[in-house]
Amino acid sequence: MDYRSVKIAATGTYIPPMVVTDRDLEERLQLPPGWIEKKTGVCKRHYALGETQSEMAAKAILNALRSVNLTMDDVDCLVGANGAMEQAIPSNAALTKEALGVKNAIPAFDINSTCLSFVVAMDIVSHMIAAGQYNRVVIFSSDIASNALNWDHKESCVLFGDAAAAVVVERETDANGAKILASHMATYIDGVHLAEVKGGGTKLHPREYREENRTDYLFHMEGEKLFRLSMQYIPALFNVLLDTAQCKIRDIDLVIPHQASLLGMRLIQRNLRVPDERFMVTIREYGNTIASSIPLALHEAISQSRVKRGDRLMLFGTSAGLSIGGMILVY
Amino acid sequence: MDYRSVKIAATGTYIPPMVVTDRDLEERLQLPPGWIEKKTGVCKRHYALGETQSEMAAKAILNALRSVNLTMDDVDCLVGANGAMEQAIPSNAALTKEALGVKNAIPAFDINSTCLSFVVAMDIVSHMIAAGQYNRVVIFSSDIASNALNWDHKESCVLFGDAAAAVVVERETDANGAKILASHMATYIDGVHLAEVKGGGTKLHPREYREENRTDYLFHMEGEKLFRLSMQYIPALFNVLLDTAQCKIRDIDLVIPHQASLLGMRLIQRNLRVPDERFMVTIREYGNTIASSIPLALHEAISQSRVKRGDRLMLFGTSAGLSIGGMILVY
């Protein structure tokens, strides 16, 4: 498969203003001070308060577009890449187009692979741009985890935060410029029930909600099993990505992982033998923000000047499914 | 944009065994005999009973693969193209991969544009196949409408049925063979609240379910407004598709619409001046089966020998969003 000449023209984020510190949660959950940071590496996270995914997404998108003096009139297609739906019907992308007040005809649809939705959407969109179907596409990831946490499951509920991030992707006309060098995704059904929300869809309708089955409508994660299983498959992912991109891990200027958990990320970093300055960590300030985690970390890396044009980036992560996936691109 | 050399190698469906006739519903809803057929054109529909979307999808997929002596081992990627989620997390594709018992690494993810999900998925997948990322992809659409109908809204609740359909798409090596000639999609936010299920996602969590707001968790449709709005935009869709494919409506061997409502379809058919033998109607037997409606009609057309290799097909439809979209392909 050939390289795809597409460019990340801009990024933007929206972080809801309400900050929730470890101390806040340790009091609420009657945990000893320091327990959360020690267990998860997260120091604080933000929770949406009366905001919807589409409202947050719209703000992130406008921040991205404004940074390069563009508006939605310059965009061909709007793609939602979220971990969860705002409504059962229609797509988050349609609701976000409404939140943006965009009255033109550009298409809006969603791509869903839970925490990997952004990477899968980048992959798909890059093919559509390379083929000439669209010239400039906005991909957004906006997730509200705080609404479906199981407060009886201390290990998982303290891990998550809410955030939105958006990326403007466009055709790259310079053959020596930005491009996607490699992408890969795999799904393994032995992990399908290790991270899930059983209820809310057609299998367990909201009308079946009872006090007794309330946890079926909350996020369930078996973190350790999930991590052990992921570690079986992740080395092969890196090999495929690096082989396809015809480079070594030392050629990657910045590795941007899904911010799943700090301990897990550090273990992967050690296995890859990548120093801290080439491994992006945002989980301390934001927690695991589901699908927005990777584009948020990308935005932070660009904002902090840890990424410059021409750099090679590797994005990767795991998601409910169990899926693993990643991408190597020239920024 | 160039043509994409991809081929629909096989189709398959799964129809749940439970038949619900107009008479059954007219008794339940205290409607005069014949009211439903007169209003909607639907004579009967099927309801899933204790079956999940993923179980139905798996059966449709196996039917499609068996018809051409393939198994899931011959498939590179599994794409869900549904109108609704089975669970809030993970994707329907991951759950369907589990229902199929496929233990290999092929990726599974969802594409969502409600009733147009199949057409959008075909469009996206064709780019990935044309670019060489995948060789053979299964796209499935499996929807259970019967679980979220509002029985107080007679016009909409009688319209829907449950079904699953699957399509095997692969690279076409014969330059004179199958191809996608044109695809187009548009979303108009003035219709975003004319077809929706407000609850079940992050905005209105299942825990908020009450007798008083129960209809927020059910399918809400303003059929007439939706149809009037769609008719403003559909003629432009046909023009774009036919112009891109460089053909006239008389060159289309079979038009396969989303089976939204018989009256609406007949009006579009008259506007297009297409005779009955070139316009596929399955709504009488199945009702509107959401995202599975178009691939189900395609499968029925192939099974009834109304489509042969080399024929030009036009798929089109509307979906919640409001989105409209379509595709012209050589079968």
Side-chain angles (χ1 to χ4, degrees):
Chain A
M1 191 172 53
D2 290 334
Y3 300 159
R4 284 154 270 164
S5 288
V6 297
K7 175 181 176 175
I8 294 173
T11 61
T13 60
Y14 172 76
I15 311 295
M18 181 183 167
V19 177
V20 179
T21 65
D22 284 357
R23 195 58 194 267
D24 296 332
L25 292 184
E26 283 158 358
E27 279 176 16
R28 174 174 180 168
L29 299 167
Q30 298 178 288
L31 292 167
W35 188 90
I36 294 174
E37 190 182 353
K38 200 177 155 203
K39 272 271 184 189
T40 67
V42 183
C43 300
K44 64 185 182 71
R45 73 287 292 146
H46 295 248
Y47 285 177
L49 202 68
E51 293 170 292
T52 62
Q53 282 173 277
S54 55
E55 287 163 359
M56 288 168 50
K59 289 175 183 171
I61 291 166
L62 292 178
N63 285 338
L65 289 169
R66 277 185 200 125
S67 73
V68 285
N69 291 314
L70 293 174
T71 72
M72 279 300 291
D73 288 337
D74 303 303
V75 173
D76 288 327
C77 179
L78 179 64
V79 176
N82 308 280
M85 299 285 286
E86 175 171 327
Q87 300 190 174
I89 288 175
S91 70
N92 288 16
L95 294 170
T96 297
K97 197 179 172 194
E98 186 199 21
L100 286 162
V102 177
K103 300 203 170 166
N104 64 21
I106 67 159
F109 57 86
D110 284 356
I111 291 164
N112 181 356
S113 176
T114 325
C115 293
L116 275 174
S117 296
F118 175 76
V119 176
V120 176
M122 270 289 288
D123 191 27
I124 285 171
V125 162
S126 69
H127 283 296
M128 300 181 103
I129 290 175
Q133 184 155 353
Y134 301 119
N135 286 308
R136 186 180 289 124
V137 178
V138 165
I139 303 173
F140 69 88
S141 300
S142 177
D143 270 312
I144 297 178
S146 60
N147 200 24
L149 297 175
N150 182 351
W151 296 105
D152 296 328
H153 193 269
K154 295 179 175 51
E155 284 78 7
S156 70
C157 69
V158 298
L159 198 55
F160 292 89
D162 305 337
V167 169
V168 180
V169 191
E170 61 187 32
R171 186 190 317 277
E172 171 63 274
T173 48
D174 178 359
N176 296 316
K179 53 179 74 72
I180 291 177
L181 298 172
S183 61
H184 187 69
M185 189 197 170
T187 301
Y188 301 94
I189 61 167
D190 44 352
V192 72
H193 297 296
L194 298 181
E196 63 181 338
V197 178
K198 277 188 195 151
T202 61
K203 186 155 73 182
L204 194 57
H205 190 271
R207 79 168 70 82
E208 314 288 341
Y209 185 91
R210 305 281 180 276
E211 187 53 31
E212 308 84 74
N213 70 356
R214 50 182 281 282
T215 57
D216 283 343
Y217 295 83
L218 300 175
F219 185 63
H220 164 81
M221 184 172 81
E222 299 178 44
E224 253 189 67
K225 277 191 199 169
L226 204 58
F227 180 68
R228 262 185 281 132
L229 196 62
S230 303
M231 287 305 286
Q232 282 181 36
Y233 300 123
I234 281 179
L237 168 71
F238 293 142
N239 288 341
V240 171
L241 289 176
L242 293 167
D243 282 358
T244 308
Q246 295 179 285
C247 65
K248 304 280 180 197
I249 189 69
R250 65 171 175 269
D251 303 318
I252 304 293
D253 298 290
L254 189 66
V255 175
I256 301 180
H258 169 48
Q259 308 286 312
S261 84
L262 189 62
L263 293 179
M265 285 154 64
R266 289 297 183 213
L267 196 56
I268 292 168
Q269 185 189 350
R270 272 202 300 277
N271 284 4
L272 280 174
R273 297 164 188 265
V274 170
D276 286 354
E277 62 270 24
R278 294 202 282 123
F279 197 87
M280 191 69 198
V281 173
T282 61
I283 193 171
R284 296 182 192 287
E285 293 80 30
Y286 300 111
N288 175 342
T289 62
I290 318 185
S292 67
S293 147
I294 291 176
L296 168 61
L298 172 67
H299 173 80
E300 290 276 305
I302 295 166
S303 305
Q304 296 166 20
S305 303
R306 293 182 62 173
V307 173
K308 60 181 192 302
R309 289 289 169 197
D311 277 0
R312 279 181 194 217
L313 312 182
M314 182 164 81
L315 319 179
F316 81 91
T318 56
S319 75
L322 163 79
S323 293
I324 63 164
M327 173 173 281
I328 295 178
L329 56 87
V330 177
Y331 175 68
Chain B
M1 190 173 52
D2 290 335
Y3 301 160
R4 286 154 270 164
S5 288
V6 297
K7 175 181 176 175
I8 294 173
T11 61
T13 60
Y14 172 75
I15 311 296
M18 182 183 168
V19 178
V20 179
T21 64
D22 284 357
R23 197 57 195 269
D24 295 333
L25 292 183
E26 282 158 357
E27 279 176 15
R28 173 173 180 169
L29 299 168
Q30 297 178 286
L31 292 167
W35 187 92
I36 295 174
E37 190 181 352
K38 200 177 155 204
K39 272 271 185 188
T40 67
V42 183
C43 300
K44 64 184 183 71
R45 74 287 291 146
H46 295 248
Y47 285 176
L49 201 69
E51 292 169 292
T52 62
Q53 283 174 277
S54 55
E55 287 163 357
M56 288 167 52
K59 289 175 183 171
I61 292 166
L62 292 177
N63 285 338
L65 289 168
R66 277 186 201 126
S67 73
V68 284
N69 291 314
L70 294 173
T71 72
M72 279 301 290
D73 289 336
D74 303 303
V75 173
D76 289 327
C77 180
L78 179 63
V79 176
N82 307 281
M85 298 285 284
E86 175 170 327
Q87 299 190 176
I89 289 176
S91 69
N92 287 16
L95 294 170
T96 297
K97 198 179 173 195
E98 185 200 22
L100 286 162
V102 177
K103 299 200 172 167
N104 64 22
I106 67 160
F109 57 86
D110 284 357
I111 291 164
N112 181 356
S113 176
T114 325
C115 293
L116 276 174
S117 297
F118 175 76
V119 176
V120 176
M122 270 290 288
D123 191 27
I124 286 172
V125 162
S126 70
H127 283 295
M128 300 181 103
I129 290 175
Q133 185 156 351
Y134 301 119
N135 286 307
R136 186 181 289 123
V137 178
V138 165
I139 303 173
F140 68 87
S141 300
S142 177
D143 270 311
I144 297 178
S146 60
N147 201 24
L149 297 174
N150 181 352
W151 295 105
D152 295 328
H153 192 269
K154 294 178 176 52
E155 285 78 7
S156 70
C157 69
V158 299
L159 198 56
F160 291 90
D162 305 337
V167 168
V168 181
V169 190
E170 62 186 32
R171 186 190 317 277
E172 170 63 275
T173 48
D174 178 0
N176 296 315
K179 52 179 75 72
I180 291 177
L181 298 172
S183 61
H184 187 68
M185 189 194 170
T187 300
Y188 301 95
I189 61 167
D190 44 353
V192 72
H193 297 296
L194 297 181
E196 64 181 336
V197 178
K198 276 188 196 151
T202 61
K203 186 156 71 182
L204 193 58
H205 190 270
R207 80 168 69 81
E208 313 288 341
Y209 185 91
R210 305 282 181 274
E211 187 55 30
E212 307 84 74
N213 69 356
R214 50 182 282 280
T215 57
D216 283 342
Y217 295 84
L218 300 175
F219 184 64
H220 164 81
M221 184 173 81
E222 298 178 44
E224 252 188 67
K225 277 191 199 168
L226 204 57
F227 180 68
R228 262 185 280 132
L229 196 62
S230 304
M231 287 306 286
Q232 283 181 35
Y233 300 124
I234 281 180
L237 168 72
F238 292 141
N239 288 340
V240 171
L241 289 176
L242 293 167
D243 282 357
T244 309
Q246 296 180 287
C247 64
K248 304 281 180 197
I249 189 68
R250 64 170 177 270
D251 303 319
I252 304 293
D253 297 290
L254 189 67
V255 175
I256 302 180
H258 169 48
Q259 308 286 312
S261 84
L262 189 62
L263 293 179
M265 286 154 64
R266 289 301 184 209
L267 195 57
I268 293 169
Q269 186 189 348
R270 271 202 301 278
N271 285 2
L272 281 174
R273 297 166 189 263
V274 170
D276 285 354
E277 61 270 24
R278 295 202 281 123
F279 196 87
M280 191 69 199
V281 173
T282 62
I283 194 172
R284 296 181 191 288
E285 294 79 32
Y286 300 110
N288 174 342
T289 63
I290 318 185
S292 66
S293 147
I294 291 176
L296 168 60
L298 172 66
H299 173 81
E300 290 276 306
I302 295 167
S303 304
Q304 296 167 20
S305 303
R306 292 181 65 172
V307 172
K308 60 182 190 306
R309 289 290 169 197
D311 278 0
R312 279 181 196 217
L313 312 182
M314 182 164 82
L315 319 179
F316 81 91
T318 57
S319 76
L322 164 80
S323 294
I324 63 163
M327 171 172 282
I328 296 177
L329 58 88
V330 177
Y331 175 68

